[in-house]
């Protein structure tokens, strides 16, 4: 070979190496922190090696058939099947590791967001009331199952979109398709990971969430009994089980401009207005707190006789607030404190009881479907993330995945809240109110996948 031929050969090799480096450029930061993960080039090299062996086995099968050597042909066919299974396992393992890595990062992001939100809520109602720090930590601990159950589905959507978008941007999907791989090779680990996350989220939502809610309510009851002023929020309207409080300024245990409304079942109404009120802890069993009101005015009204009323004034008035006025004590547990098994049995019992109201039945039905719809939203998000990332991830797939993921998460969360509102107030079917967003997302993912396969 002359010198010009050698230069052309070296130029071709150099160009090929540059293209190869650009195509298989990995995420350096991730690779430094996780060196055990295989790079895309390593995976493709293995596939290329297996492709050469696959071609060799195919040729041997063809020659064996022409020679009539059935046993030899069967041997090479078995080797070819084993080789295909091994190649699929390598790809599945690689994609699953990438998906899990991105899911973990996004899960931590959403966990921190919901965790900080929960701390802010506790800080507004509890921390400033001088509640012991250990009790606050325990309350936060009991809230963790709910935070984890909420974070997992959204982390699945955003993480999978960013991971698959990165693979599209780095041309890894293009190379897999060029090597003869189908989209199902990528779809398989996506579905498996989505299903595993759904099961994990369901366990947290069905077992640990009711357990945390029960312990949270029990501890909150103890905090209120030991420090009744926790319930007194300044410039707020507090609706209790039996009455309503309109609260003015609050300073420690002193409340100014307090208005008390009570509607009785016989149509009578009682209104108490006091300029200054002292909130005191009661020693009587069943009494949560005592409100000592100065310069109180009491109005007694009756809906049957609107023109008649009684008015009383007093220099000092003591009003006892019972525990069941603030904390429900109907002898049972709330739907949020039940597992799906317990909720199913309770719903059957309520349906058999003719006196059960539609609103009460809908409350239990919504909570029952919510225990399944939110955790298993991960599998629907996974089905949407796969085609969505492959369609829109050609340019800067990670950024687009993050943007699309957050937008869809916000819309999904809004649809879930609206579904609960329509189910409770409007009486709509709890199944469709909770599962409707999931079915819409799943249908959209299937349509995008079918469109992707037609290309």
């Amino acid at each position: 070979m002359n010198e010009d031929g050698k230069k052309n050969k070296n130029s071709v090799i150099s160009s090929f190496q540059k293209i190869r480096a650009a195509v298989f450029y990995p995420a350096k930061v991730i690779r430094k922190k996780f060196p055990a993960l295989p790079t895309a080039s390593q995976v493709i090299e293995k596939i290329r090696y297996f492709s050469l062996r696959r071609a060799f086995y195919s040729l041997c099968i063809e020659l064996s058939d022409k020679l009539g050597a059935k046993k030899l042909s069967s041997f090479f066919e078995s080797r070819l099947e084993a080789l295909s299974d091994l190649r699929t396992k390598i790809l599945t393992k690689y994609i699953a590791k990438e998906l899990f890595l991105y899911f973990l990062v996004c899960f931590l992001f959403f966990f921190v967001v919901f965790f900080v939100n929960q701390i802010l809520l506790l800080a507004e109602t509890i921390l400033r009331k001088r509640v012991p720090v250990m009790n606050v930590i325990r309350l936060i601990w009991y809230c963790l199952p709910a935070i984890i159950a909420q974070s997992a589905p959204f982390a699945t959507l955003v993480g999978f979109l960013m991971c698959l978008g990165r693979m599209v941007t780095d041309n890894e999907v293009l190379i897999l398709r060029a090597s003869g791989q189908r989209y199902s090779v990528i779809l398989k680990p996506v579905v498996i990971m989505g299903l595993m996350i759904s099961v994990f989220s369901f366990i947290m939502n069905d077992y640990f969430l009711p357990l945390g809610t029960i312990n949270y309510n029990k501890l909150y009851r103890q905090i209120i009994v030991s420090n009744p002023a926790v319930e007194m929020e300044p410039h707020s309207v507090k609706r209790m089980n039996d009455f309503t409080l309109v609260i003015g300024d609050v300073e420690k245990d002193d409340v100014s401009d307090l208005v008390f409304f009570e509607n009785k079942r016989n149509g009578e109404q009682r209104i108490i207005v006091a300029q200054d009120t002292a909130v005191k802890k009661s020693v009587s069993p069943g009494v949560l707190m005592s409100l000592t009101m100065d310069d109180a005015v009491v109005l007694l009204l009756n809906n049957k006789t609107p023109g008649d009323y009684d008015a009383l004034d007093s220099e000092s008035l003591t009003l006892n607030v019972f525990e069941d006025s603030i904390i429900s004590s109907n002898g049972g547990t709330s739907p949020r404190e039940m597992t799906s098994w317990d909720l199913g049995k309770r719903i059957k019992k309520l349906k058999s009881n003719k006196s059960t109201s539609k609103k009460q039945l809908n409350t239990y039905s919504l909570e029952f479907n919510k225990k399944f719809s939110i955790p298993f939203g991960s599998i629907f998000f996974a089905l949407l993330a796969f085609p969505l990332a492959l369609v829109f991830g050609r340019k800067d797939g990670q950024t687009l995945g993050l943007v699309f993921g957050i937008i869809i998460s916000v819309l999904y969360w809004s649809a879930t809240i609206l579904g609960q509102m329509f189910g409770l107030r409007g009486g709509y079917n709890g199944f469709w109110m909770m599962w409707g967003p999931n079915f819409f997302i799943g249908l959209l993912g299937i349509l995008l996948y079918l469109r992707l396969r037609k290309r």
Side-chain angles (χ1 to χ4, degrees):
M1 183 181 295
N2 56 22
E3 294 183 359
D4 292 337
K6 290 181 179 180
K7 289 182 180 180
N8 292 333
K9 181 179 179 181
N10 293 334
S11 177
V12 171
I13 294 174
S14 178
S15 300
F16 176 77
Q17 290 177 347
K18 290 181 181 179
I19 296 173
R20 181 186 179 85
V23 170
F24 299 114
Y25 182 74
K28 293 183 179 180
V29 177
I30 297 177
R31 296 305 173 194
K32 287 180 180 179
K33 293 183 178 180
F34 301 93
L37 291 177
T39 61
S41 58
Q42 292 173 342
V43 173
I44 301 303
E45 283 294 334
K46 291 182 179 180
I47 295 173
R48 181 183 177 186
Y49 172 65
F50 290 139
S51 298
L52 294 175
R53 293 179 62 183
R54 183 184 180 89
F56 172 73
Y57 288 143
S58 299
L59 180 61
C60 291
I61 292 171
E62 185 178 351
L63 292 175
S64 300
D65 291 337
K66 289 182 178 180
L67 296 175
K70 295 183 179 180
K71 292 184 178 181
L72 189 60
S73 178
S74 300
F75 170 76
F76 284 117
E77 286 179 356
S78 63
R79 299 295 297 175
L80 183 60
E81 291 178 359
L83 188 61
S84 300
D85 294 339
L86 183 60
R87 181 175 60 177
T88 304
K89 288 180 180 179
I90 292 175
L91 285 173
T92 302
K93 186 177 180 181
Y94 165 70
I95 297 173
K97 283 184 177 180
E98 291 288 320
L99 290 173
F100 178 75
L101 177 63
Y102 279 86
F103 164 77
L104 186 61
V105 173
C106 293
F107 176 81
L108 293 176
F109 167 75
F110 282 104
F111 180 85
V112 170
V113 171
F114 289 121
F115 185 76
V116 171
N117 179 64
Q118 189 65 39
I119 291 178
L120 292 176
L121 291 176
L122 290 176
E124 184 179 359
T125 58
I126 293 180
L127 289 179
R128 64 182 179 185
K129 299 297 183 180
R130 303 187 304 276
V131 176
V133 177
M134 286 306 301
N135 286 343
V136 177
I137 294 175
R138 289 173 61 190
L139 287 175
I140 295 174
W141 173 257
Y142 295 144
C143 292
L144 289 182
I147 296 174
I148 294 173
Q150 291 176 355
S151 303
F154 301 134
T156 302
L157 174 64
V158 178
F160 283 21
L161 279 173
M162 292 181 65
C163 176
L164 296 172
R166 196 272 306 167
M167 293 180 66
V168 174
T169 304
D170 292 348
N171 292 326
E172 291 184 27
V173 175
L174 179 62
I175 295 171
L176 292 177
R177 293 286 293 160
S179 63
Q181 299 298 321
R182 297 181 178 179
Y183 285 123
S184 58
V185 175
I186 308 174
L187 182 62
K188 181 180 177 181
V190 170
V191 173
I192 292 174
M193 288 295 297
L195 186 60
M196 290 175 62
I197 296 170
S198 295
V199 172
F200 167 75
S201 181
F202 174 74
I203 294 173
M204 295 298 300
N205 202 41
D206 191 50
Y207 179 76
F208 291 99
L209 177 59
L211 186 63
T213 304
I214 292 173
N215 291 324
Y216 181 93
N217 292 338
K218 186 185 299 183
L219 180 58
Y220 192 73
R221 180 195 295 266
Q222 296 174 2
I223 292 173
I224 294 177
V225 172
S226 61
N227 185 12
V230 171
E231 285 294 311
M232 296 295 176
E233 301 177 19
H235 306 288
S236 64
V237 177
K238 197 75 175 181
R239 292 179 175 85
M240 311 296 184
N241 295 334
D242 300 328
F243 59 87
T244 302
L245 286 176
V246 179
I247 305 169
D249 293 328
V250 178
E251 185 176 354
K252 295 183 179 180
D253 296 336
D254 297 325
V255 182
S256 64
D257 301 325
L258 181 67
V259 183
F260 174 90
F261 294 93
E262 182 182 19
N263 292 322
K264 297 183 179 181
R265 295 182 179 179
N266 57 3
E268 295 182 357
Q269 292 181 332
R270 181 171 57 163
I271 303 174
I272 304 176
V273 181
Q275 184 175 358
D276 296 312
T277 303
V279 182
K280 297 180 180 180
K281 178 182 177 181
S282 177
V283 294
S284 302
V287 178
L288 181 64
M289 57 183 169
S290 296
L291 303 177
T292 302
M293 304 178 180
D294 296 333
D295 297 327
V297 177
V298 182
L299 295 177
L300 300 176
L301 308 175
N302 195 321
N303 294 332
K304 297 180 181 179
T305 57
D308 298 334
Y309 65 91
D310 295 325
L312 305 173
D313 59 347
S314 175
E315 294 182 359
S316 180
L317 174 66
T318 300
L319 178 68
N320 292 327
V321 179
F322 294 92
E323 289 186 13
D324 57 1
S325 297
I326 295 179
I327 305 173
S328 179
S329 57
N330 54 6
T333 55
S334 66
R336 188 177 172 85
E337 297 174 348
M338 297 181 182
T339 62
S340 59
W341 176 261
D342 296 330
L343 272 173
K345 293 192 296 184
R346 179 62 64 86
I347 291 173
K348 290 182 180 179
K349 187 176 180 180
L350 291 174
K351 287 181 177 179
S352 62
N353 189 356
K354 295 182 180 180
S355 62
T356 303
S357 63
K358 185 178 180 181
K359 183 178 180 181
Q360 184 182 12
L361 184 61
N362 238 18
T363 302
Y364 283 87
S365 178
L366 278 169
E367 190 64 32
F368 177 79
N369 287 284
K370 184 180 177 181
K371 284 186 176 294
F372 291 90
S373 64
I374 291 181
F376 284 94
S378 297
I379 186 66
F380 291 94
F381 280 143
L383 291 175
L384 176 64
F386 171 67
L388 192 63
L390 268 61
V391 171
F392 298 102
R394 294 182 179 180
K395 294 183 179 180
D396 202 0
Q398 283 186 333
T399 304
L400 288 177
L402 178 62
V403 173
F404 282 139
I406 292 178
I407 292 175
I408 295 173
S409 298
V410 172
L411 293 176
Y412 177 84
W413 186 248
S414 302
T416 303
I417 294 176
L418 290 175
Q420 295 182 65
M421 291 175 58
F422 285 127
L424 292 175
R425 299 180 182 180
Y428 293 96
N429 187 281
F431 175 83
W432 291 109
M433 291 298 99
M434 290 291 95
W435 284 97
N438 287 348
F439 290 153
F440 177 78
I441 288 173
L443 179 62
L444 182 61
I446 292 173
L447 293 177
L448 287 175
Y449 179 69
L450 294 177
R451 176 189 172 187
L452 193 66
R453 291 191 60 182
K454 291 180 179 180
R455 293 185 174 183

